[in-house]
Amino acid sequence: MANVRTADRHLTQQAASRIPQRVGRLLSGVEEAAESSKLWCGAAAVMTACGGRRGRGAAIAGLTALAFAQLVSNGVGKQLVDRPRPPKEWIDHDEVEDRPDSSSFPSGHTAAAVAFTAAVAPLWPLAAAACAVPTALVALERVQSGAHYPTDVAAGALIGLAGARLTRHVPHLLRHVLQRSRTVPQLRHSAARSYF
C-alpha cells in the first residue's frame, strides 16, 4: 500500500504540474460538460435522434449503465470510503479550489463516463469511439485538477465497466428467469394432469 500511495502522489503532482495551461482549460471544459451527466445525456439524445432503433438501444444501455455506476460510486463507494481529496499544496493551479468536499474515492465522473461508453460500444461501436475521447479527457482532468488520485479514477473506471457489463447481461438473465417462471407452472400442471 505504501508503494500505491507513493505512486498516487507522484502521478497526481505530475499531472497537475506538467499538463500545459491550454490543455488544462480544454480538460476543464470537457469536465464541465460532463458535470451532472449533461454530456452523456446529450450524446444519448443525439443517438436517439440519429441512430434509429440501434441508436435508441445504445442510448438506453448507456444511460442505464451510467445510472448504475453513479449509484455505486456516489451512493455507496463514497459513503463507505471516506478518503480526503489530494492535498491542495500538491496542485499548483487555481482549479483545485473548485473541487467538491465529498470523498475522493471513487471518481463518480469517471465511473459515469466509462459506464456510458462501454455500454454503447457493443451496440454502436462508432458512437462509442466518439464517446471514448471525452471519456479519456474526463478521467485525465479528474487527476489534473486535483479532484482525485489516479487510484480513484481507476476504481471509477472499474465500476463503470461493471455497470456496462451488468446492463448488457441483466436483460438476458431476466428473460431466462421469466421463461423459467412460466415453464415451472406448466410443468406442474402437466404433472398434475398425468397423475390424475
Side-chain angles (χ1 to χ4, degrees):
M1 285 306 293
N3 289 340
V4 171
R5 282 193 292 271
T6 300
D8 251 355
R9 175 179 181 151
H10 178 72
L11 290 171
T12 301
Q13 291 175 310
Q14 290 296 310
S17 63
R18 295 282 176 95
I19 291 177
Q21 198 171 27
R22 260 185 274 175
V23 175
R25 282 196 293 270
L26 169 68
L27 294 175
S28 294
V30 173
E31 185 277 329
E32 182 59 36
E35 187 70 38
S36 302
S37 302
K38 296 187 297 272
L39 179 62
W40 315 117
C41 290
V46 170
M47 288 177 200
T48 300
C50 302
R53 185 175 177 186
R54 177 174 66 170
R56 288 190 296 275
I60 290 168
L63 292 176
T64 303
L66 181 149
F68 171 83
Q70 289 280 32
L71 177 67
V72 172
S73 60
N74 296 329
V76 178
K78 287 183 185 295
Q79 310 309 315
L80 293 177
V81 183
D82 188 20
R83 183 183 198 185
R85 302 277 174 173
K88 288 185 178 182
E89 57 268 20
W90 291 5
I91 315 301
D92 64 353
H93 52 71
D94 294 338
E95 286 178 52
V96 73
E97 302 299 334
D98 295 333
R99 64 190 187 173
D101 294 328
S102 58
S103 172
S104 181
F105 186 92
S107 168
H109 282 75
T110 305
V114 170
F116 184 86
T117 302
V120 166
L123 300 169
W124 197 353
L126 190 59
C131 291
V133 175
T135 294
L137 293 177
V138 165
L140 178 59
E141 188 279 338
R142 301 317 286 156
V143 178
Q144 183 270 338
S145 67
H148 289 286
Y149 294 96
T151 49
D152 301 334
V153 170
L158 289 175
I159 290 168
L161 291 172
R165 185 171 176 81
L166 191 65
T167 300
R168 187 170 181 192
H169 291 291
V170 162
H172 302 298
L173 291 171
L174 287 176
R175 271 197 298 275
H176 180 70
V177 168
L178 289 172
Q179 287 171 349
R180 233 178 122 83
S181 66
R182 287 187 201 129
T183 306
V184 170
Q186 289 172 356
L187 290 174
R188 286 181 185 154
H189 183 66
S190 300
R193 287 181 61 186
S194 64
Y195 180 76
F196 292 110

